[in-house]
Amino acid sequence: MIDVIVVGGGPTGLMLAGELRLHDVHVVVLEKLTGPTGESRGQGLHARCVELMDQRGLLDRFLAVSAKFQVGGLFGGVMKPWPDRLDTAHPYGVATPQPVTERLLDEHALELGAEIRRGCEVVGLSQDEDGVTVELAGGGGTQLRSRYVVGCDGGRSAVRKLLGVGFPGEPSKVETLLGEMEVAADPATIAAVTAEVRKTQLRFGVAAPGENGVCRVIVPADGVAEDRAAAPTLEEFKQRLMAVAGTDFGVHSPRWLSRFGDATRQAERYRVGRVLLAGDAAHIHPPTGGQGLNLGVQDAFNLGWKLAAAVNGWAPEGLLDTYHAERHPEGARVLDNTRAG
């Protein structure tokens, strides 16, 4: 029997896998996708996650491929400067695109002995007093058995739905398009137009082209799509750029296109017996301040040693329940913060 099955191979799931392997827990990560997405929704680590990476000996890896930053945030609709007296040895964030974060955490988990299986979609889940049975898609009735399961499989979490855990909150009222693509306009024009539009529209931005000539583009959508799982088209980006900025900047050759809303929802419970939830499976919110990836990584850091203690038999009574008791309020706080923004 597997000790822990982690469903979802994003930053939260990979961080958790590494944490469990530090305590010699047999962990298997099941990821529905067959390979990395390449989508970069999360753009970096905040100071607390920088501290965590330092504690795990990973910070040098991040700094080798990332730049430090100190940028203020939006609180209650007001821009505030970066705090000048943070009580930490690392008073900065690290600008790391999500695919790089996932690669580094993937490498770390594999080095520690985690098993990562891609192309594995969870479609069934049942538990008893001894363990959890996970059913995989594919028509062959493939099942895996583990002592615990953790759903780190995103805002549309199959694990959360199979558990029947409520996900109350507020639906999306507005939607934003996000993607990476090439842009024909020159950098000076991009910078000037972006600066002017952002005086009145903070959900807009066209970043200067990176080393690969690709720009990150964000623009308000025209309403909320009926099927939010469906990716927008390049033509939709062009139309919205023209409507908001008066130019489409000659965008072409998209690498990936996506959409996100401003829904705020939180799982009623982070634990049901031998199954737990972490990351976006437990909470979703607007991306204001780039807090989502960081919140999930911190969920994993809190849960990892507690779950390992339960597996290895030295957890005191009620230790696993402190995961919900400690992390659920933190998730609620972030949801309130993003609503205020």
Side-chain angles (χ1 to χ4, degrees):
M1 180 185 289
I2 300 165
D3 287 333
V4 179
I5 289 176
V6 175
V7 183
T12 300
L14 294 170
M15 183 71 185
L16 179 60
E19 292 299 293
L20 292 168
R21 283 303 303 152
L22 289 173
H23 299 276
D24 295 322
V25 172
H26 177 203
V27 57
V28 174
V29 178
L30 303 178
E31 169 55 51
K32 181 170 65 174
L33 300 177
T34 57
T37 68
E39 294 189 10
S40 186
R41 291 174 178 256
Q43 287 294 289
L45 303 178
H46 295 174
R48 177 55 184 149
C49 278
V50 173
E51 290 180 328
L52 300 186
M53 296 308 160
D54 188 27
Q55 286 180 251
R56 292 298 177 253
L58 296 173
L59 183 55
D60 286 345
R61 300 189 192 190
F62 278 86
L63 292 178
V65 293
S66 313
K68 298 179 182 179
F69 69 83
Q70 291 181 323
V71 179
L74 188 67
F75 298 92
V78 178
M79 287 298 296
K80 296 292 185 69
W82 182 272
D84 60 358
R85 292 184 180 180
L86 286 179
D87 184 17
T88 173
H90 305 286
Y92 54 85
V94 175
T96 312
Q98 185 168 330
V100 177
T101 296
E102 291 186 3
R103 175 175 61 80
L104 294 176
L105 294 178
D106 185 284
E107 292 172 356
H108 175 63
L110 289 173
E111 288 168 3
L112 291 173
E115 182 180 349
I116 300 174
R117 303 182 188 178
R118 296 189 176 275
C120 294
E121 181 181 1
V122 172
V123 295
L125 188 76
S126 61
Q127 62 176 312
D128 52 45
E129 62 181 17
D130 298 317
V132 187
T133 300
V134 171
E135 181 181 351
L136 303 181
T142 301
Q143 293 184 338
L144 297 174
R145 183 78 172 161
S146 66
R147 298 173 66 183
Y148 293 92
V149 167
V150 185
C152 303
D153 50 340
R156 298 182 177 90
S157 171
V159 172
R160 187 189 65 243
K161 293 174 182 177
L162 290 167
L163 277 179
V165 171
F167 202 42
E170 301 175 5
S172 292
K173 299 180 179 65
V174 297
E175 191 170 88
T176 306
L177 307 183
L178 172 67
E180 290 186 350
M181 59 204 74
E182 295 183 35
V183 177
D186 63 90
T189 298
I190 293 173
V193 173
T194 298
E196 184 62 28
V197 175
R198 282 184 60 82
K199 291 179 180 178
T200 56
Q201 178 52 266
L202 292 178
R203 289 190 298 123
F204 175 86
V206 181
E211 294 181 359
N212 57 2
V214 174
C215 293
R216 183 179 176 90
V217 178
I218 181 170
V219 62
D222 183 15
V224 177
E226 291 186 10
D227 182 7
R228 293 195 51 250
T233 64
L234 180 63
E235 184 59 32
E236 190 174 351
F237 267 85
K238 290 181 177 181
Q239 291 174 358
R240 295 307 301 155
L241 287 169
M242 286 295 298
V244 174
T247 174
D248 65 9
F249 300 99
V251 295
H252 63 95
S253 305
R255 301 302 192 268
W256 57 268
L257 305 174
S258 67
R259 66 177 83 242
F260 63 86
D262 63 338
T264 51
R265 297 185 181 277
Q266 186 174 25
E268 292 176 333
R269 294 180 288 170
Y270 283 15
R271 180 191 179 193
V272 179
R274 292 179 173 270
V275 185
L276 301 102
L277 302 171
D280 288 353
H283 40 69
I284 60 171
H285 52 82
T288 309
Q291 299 172 87
L293 184 154
N294 289 265
L295 186 62
V297 167
Q298 291 171 51
D299 285 346
F301 191 80
N302 182 286
L303 177 60
W305 72 273
K306 297 174 181 177
L307 189 52
V311 169
N312 291 325
W314 57 267
E317 183 71 24
L319 179 64
L320 264 186
D321 290 327
T322 67
Y323 168 63
H324 172 94
E326 293 171 1
R327 294 307 299 170
H328 193 276
E330 287 301 306
R333 183 182 59 80
V334 171
L335 264 63
D336 287 343
N337 181 261
T338 56
R339 287 189 186 104

